[in-house]
Amino acid sequence: QTKESSSLGAAIAGFCAIGQYHSVAEAVKEMVRVRDTFYPNKENAKVYDYLYKEAYLKMYPGLAKTYAKIKRFNNGEIKK
């Protein structure tokens, strides 16, 4: 049992890549155990939808160049 779903997904991909499982579906059947199910809160979804449309989508074009600079820095393309 793990709470690290990203790591579990990577493990599933890895086991499929080395042939331990013949398909992702088979690996999921063997490796995944569902403990909790979460359902969206409709009121929260409205808030997030509003923020996405009215804030994020409008500010992203102005931040895209900054994000690209951060990416180049993190990739070592820009000296510290």
Side-chain angles (χ1 to χ4, degrees), residues 44-70:
N44 289 350
K46 289 178 188 177
V47 171
Y48 292 132
D49 188 50
Y50 172 83
L51 290 173
Y52 177 74
K53 290 177 181 174
E54 299 300 323
Y56 177 78
L57 288 179
K58 292 178 180 181
M59 73 179 185
Y60 181 78
L63 292 172
K65 290 180 183 178
T66 301
Y67 290 151
K69 289 177 185 178
I70 292 169

Side-chain angles (χ1 to χ4, degrees), residues 10-36:
I12 289 170
F15 279 120
C16 289
I18 64 170
Q20 181 71 32
Y21 296 105
H22 298 292
S23 69
V24 171
E26 179 188 4
V28 167
K29 183 178 176 185
E30 294 295 322
M31 297 175 68
V32 173
R33 303 292 175 266
V34 177
R35 189 179 79 187
D36 295 313

